Amino acid sequence: MILLTDIGKSHGTRAVLTGITARFPRQSLTSIIGPNGAGKSTLLMLIARLAEPGSGRITLGGADIARISRAEYARRVATLRQFPAIELRLTVEELVAFGRFPHNRGRPTAEDRRATDEAIAFLSLDTIRKARLDELSGGQRQMAFLAMTIAQQTDCLLLDEPLNNLDMRHALRIMQALRSLCDDLGRTVVAVIHDINFAANHSDQIIALKDGRLHSSGTVDQVVTEAGLRDLYGLDFHILPRPHGRLCDYFTPKGEAG
Amino acid sequence: MTARATFALTAFGLALLALAFVLQGAAADPVWLIPRRLMKLAAMIVGGCAVALSSISFQTVAGNRILTPAVMGYEAVYLLLQSVLVLTLGASGLTLWGGSGGFLLSILFMLGYSLTLDRWLFRDGRADLWMLMLVGLVLTMVIGTVTQFLQLRISPGEFAIFQSAAQISFERVEPWRLLVSTILFCVICLAGWRGLPALDVLALGRDQAMSLGIDHRRAVRRLLMLIAVLVAVSTSLIGPTAFMGIFVANLAYALAPGAGHRLTLPMGCAIAVGMFLLAQLMVEHLFDYRTTVGILVNLACGVWFLALMLRQRSMI
């Protein structure tokens, strides 16, 4: 379990995060939502140790993460930020194999090859495993990077906007994969998600940030309410119950359409 | 073509070039010519490999394919030192203690420069690489201007001597320099060998490398240090190579049978050495010493660099 206690972070004099206290339970999918500039990615970067908090404490399984060596941390927590823009002449297979680096420091064993194959199969990327990254579509590339993170075989995965720039089919596939990582493989997943409907229908828990502060957190039922979302985004929401979840409609503000 | 075949073919081509260089017209005076040529060949190998290794690993760290360590100001420092030596000690400045004095001084100066830059920029522990490169670029220009100012005060005869030190050349190679360079080069290669897989991970960018358990700041500092030694070795052994690193690195990416540094680094070394051999052969047999290796190499690389800029304008 990851526990955040009174986390603060500022860039210069501007406070980006203030007094964030939250917990990410094991084997659950937590979505971080909120408007642009709310500090979602910054929060994720702090948990990933890509930046250091100005104040507060983050613990993983009871231990302060600042005291865990970086090499050890990479065996327990995997992070995927938006994929780098530089051209990589790697094949999908080669990229996914990088996920094993924390375990083998660049000297792959049979075990590593098996983990790589499993990650590729998990996201059904077998047909493109020999393809080069620069020949793939954005969605396929995102899947390949996610496969690398899965191959890392960590208890916890942190994903920064994994659905960004994806079409509906790829977005759904990634979301279902995250769900299955929690349910079938017992991993803890934390993802920054912009699409409220994906967050509302696939998460166990939602954490909402606004202006660098915790706006609300809890189960989907607790956070995804018309009043809560209106206050969070400054938009009118219509929440429609569906047999397997709910639909948050903000496309047609109240009064203009039926 | 498999990786093995590619490298076998490359090695074969290189061996042919090297044989041609050593044996061409050697019958006239084999006892004098062949040992001298072998020494030049060794300088080409050490210098060329140093240029290739430093450029490729620098581009990986910087995440950019049109940079060379030259923009960090190493070569500017080297040229400044040479002109100061010529100005203060006259022509004998470059042959200080039989030439080895100036050589050692150059290496020490470049390392000192690298350390100072690094210490100063990382003093609060959070300088980013772009800042480092920007400062390096500005310093290159400042140091270059100072060098030019000093050159105005050098007599024409001594200036000619300085100029010869400011160009790629294998003519000034001496056994002692070659030995020190080779030893330094081997030490760096051994030191870098263990970090080779990490270099591949660094190519994924800072965030991804850190997520995969690499202490990014430490790894970058260590690499910049190794790169500094390599640049110092190649510059003081064969002279400033300027654009050549870009040419060598990009050609290596294109020709290597894969993306890993295990493949691109040796390919880069082969390209650099092959290029030196070709240029030297052309200077000796085609142009009859009317031009220099430096001019040929810079011409070829300058053209390539322009072409690269035009082709990748959107990516700069």
Side-chain angles (χ1 to χ4, degrees):
Chain A
M1 186 177 73
I2 301 172
L3 201 65
L4 276 59
T5 319
D6 200 23
I7 294 295
K9 170 83 180 168
S10 48
H11 290 160
T13 54
R14 196 172 62 88
V16 186
L17 291 173
T18 331
I20 306 272
T21 297
R23 50 196 292 270
F24 301 90
R26 280 180 63 85
Q27 307 188 358
S28 67
L29 202 171
T30 306
S31 294
I32 304 179
I33 63 168
N36 286 333
K40 304 181 295 294
S41 292
T42 309
L43 188 66
L44 200 76
M45 277 178 73
L46 294 183
I47 305 174
R49 291 183 68 193
L50 296 176
E52 278 159 30
S55 61
R57 222 165 87 95
I58 303 175
T59 59
L60 171 68
D64 191 336
I65 62 167
R67 292 175 188 277
I68 303 173
S69 81
R70 202 167 277 285
E72 167 66 19
Y73 202 63
R75 287 191 285 269
R76 299 174 62 180
V77 177
T79 308
L80 180 61
R81 299 210 68 208
Q82 279 142 45
F83 58 81
I86 49 164
E87 49 174 325
L88 290 166
R89 293 175 63 236
L90 301 167
T91 63
V92 170
E93 202 170 47
E94 285 167 339
L95 179 77
V96 178
F98 274 122
R100 302 304 299 165
F101 185 81
H103 302 276
N104 63 28
R105 307 305 286 179
R107 279 158 190 72
T109 62
E111 153 95 44
D112 293 316
R113 274 183 281 275
R114 194 168 57 241
T116 306
D117 289 342
E118 276 171 18
I120 290 175
F122 186 78
L123 292 181
S124 337
L125 297 177
D126 295 282
T127 50
I128 55 165
R129 65 181 293 159
K130 301 275 181 199
R132 269 182 30 191
L133 288 178
D134 48 3
E135 297 162 348
L136 297 177
S137 72
Q140 290 172 317
R141 218 175 311 168
Q142 194 101 323
M143 299 287 276
F145 272 91
L146 182 62
M148 171 178 77
T149 313
I150 292 171
Q152 217 169 321
Q153 292 189 333
T154 53
D155 285 335
C156 183
L157 286 93
L158 310 174
L159 310 161
D160 192 1
E161 298 190 28
L163 309 181
N164 212 16
N165 294 323
L166 295 186
D167 61 26
M168 286 160 280
R169 202 172 66 98
H170 279 106
L172 185 62
R173 267 179 75 191
I174 287 205
M175 222 47 218
Q176 285 169 337
L178 298 186
R179 201 56 263 174
S180 155
L181 277 173
C182 285
D183 300 341
D184 306 333
L185 302 179
R187 312 282 182 83
T188 308
V189 179
V190 180
V192 172
I193 304 237
H194 259 299
D195 189 318
I196 183 69
N197 283 306
F198 273 117
N201 287 300
H202 295 271
S203 320
D204 297 311
Q205 199 205 195
I206 293 187
I207 288 185
L209 299 185
K210 189 181 182 186
D211 299 330
R213 294 173 187 276
L214 191 67
H215 177 270
S216 49
S217 69
T219 61
V220 177
D221 288 332
Q222 287 166 336
V223 177
V224 182
T225 60
E226 292 186 353
L229 293 183
R230 184 182 310 125
D231 187 47
L232 181 63
Y233 290 102
L235 276 179
D236 281 334
F237 278 84
H238 218 58
I239 297 181
L240 311 167
R242 284 284 179 270
H244 303 288
R246 72 203 72 205
L247 190 65
C248 307
D249 177 18
Y250 53 94
F251 303 105
T252 48
K254 267 179 196 163
E256 287 180 24
Chain B
M1 204 161 22
T2 65
R4 200 174 291 246
T6 312
F7 278 109
L9 204 69
T10 313
F12 182 68
L14 260 191
L16 273 188
L17 272 178
L19 265 181
F21 169 68
V22 174
L23 297 178
Q24 174 70 22
D29 193 353
V31 182
W32 192 79
L33 275 178
I34 290 183
R36 277 191 58 83
R37 285 182 176 174
L38 281 177
M39 220 161 72
K40 282 189 198 170
L41 180 66
M44 286 177 200
I45 292 173
V46 173
C49 291
V51 169
L53 299 184
S54 61
S55 305
I56 293 178
S57 39
F58 185 76
Q59 292 194 345
T60 296
V61 171
N64 183 310
R65 294 194 166 172
I66 55 163
L67 287 175
T68 61
V71 302
M72 301 286 288
Y74 298 113
E75 297 190 341
V77 168
Y78 168 80
L79 291 176
L80 177 67
L81 179 71
Q82 306 308 311
S83 50
V84 168
L85 285 179
V86 172
L87 185 68
T88 51
L89 302 171
S92 59
L94 292 182
T95 51
L96 205 60
W97 304 313
S100 49
F103 174 70
L104 277 184
L105 258 184
S106 304
I107 291 189
L108 285 179
F109 253 76
M110 280 185 264
L111 284 184
Y113 169 79
S114 170
L115 260 182
T116 317
L117 197 65
D118 183 271
R119 274 287 141 74
W120 177 60
L121 276 168
F122 283 100
R123 65 192 182 284
D124 55 358
R126 53 177 199 87
D128 66 309
L129 210 57
W130 291 107
M131 189 64 192
L132 190 67
M133 278 185 274
L134 181 66
V135 171
L137 195 66
V138 171
L139 280 178
T140 304
M141 286 189 276
V142 172
I143 296 171
T145 316
V146 174
T147 308
Q148 277 176 3
F149 177 71
L150 289 178
Q151 284 165 4
L152 292 176
R153 307 178 59 92
I154 300 175
S155 72
E158 287 169 344
F159 182 68
I161 294 169
F162 164 78
Q163 256 198 330
S164 74
Q167 282 221 345
I168 307 178
S169 159
F170 308 107
E171 306 299 331
R172 59 175 180 276
V173 173
E174 292 145 25
W176 199 84
R177 280 184 186 209
L178 187 59
L179 184 70
V180 175
S181 305
T182 311
I183 292 173
L184 271 177
F185 177 76
C186 292
V187 169
I188 295 297
C189 286
L190 282 178
W193 179 252
R194 270 189 50 227
L196 205 55
L199 200 56
D200 287 331
V201 178
L202 281 175
L204 297 175
R206 170 186 177 271
D207 287 353
Q208 211 56 64
M210 283 171 82
S211 309
L212 289 171
I214 286 192
D215 186 340
H216 187 260
R217 196 192 310 154
R218 237 187 71 198
V220 167
R221 290 183 76 159
R222 206 177 106 91
L223 259 172
L224 287 182
M225 227 38 233
L226 296 183
I227 290 170
V229 181
L230 285 177
V231 175
V233 164
S234 80
T235 310
S236 33
L237 185 67
I238 58 175
T241 48
F243 290 124
M244 187 178 159
I246 304 176
F247 175 84
V248 168
N250 281 282
L251 209 55
Y253 303 141
L255 296 181
H261 285 84
R262 222 168 270 282
L263 304 171
T264 53
L265 288 176
M267 184 52 86
C269 291
I271 290 166
V273 176
M275 202 165 157
F276 281 152
L277 279 168
L278 256 180
Q280 184 72 19
L281 273 170
M282 280 165 78
V283 166
E284 287 184 11
H285 303 290
L286 194 67
F287 295 105
D288 221 3
Y289 291 98
R290 275 178 310 229
T291 183
T292 65
V293 172
I295 291 174
L296 283 184
V297 168
N298 279 343
L299 184 70
C301 297
V303 170
W304 168 272
F305 183 64
L306 279 178
L308 192 73
M309 295 256 284
L310 287 176
R311 205 165 56 87
Q312 302 195 332
R313 220 172 2 183
S314 56
M315 301 181 55
I316 295 165

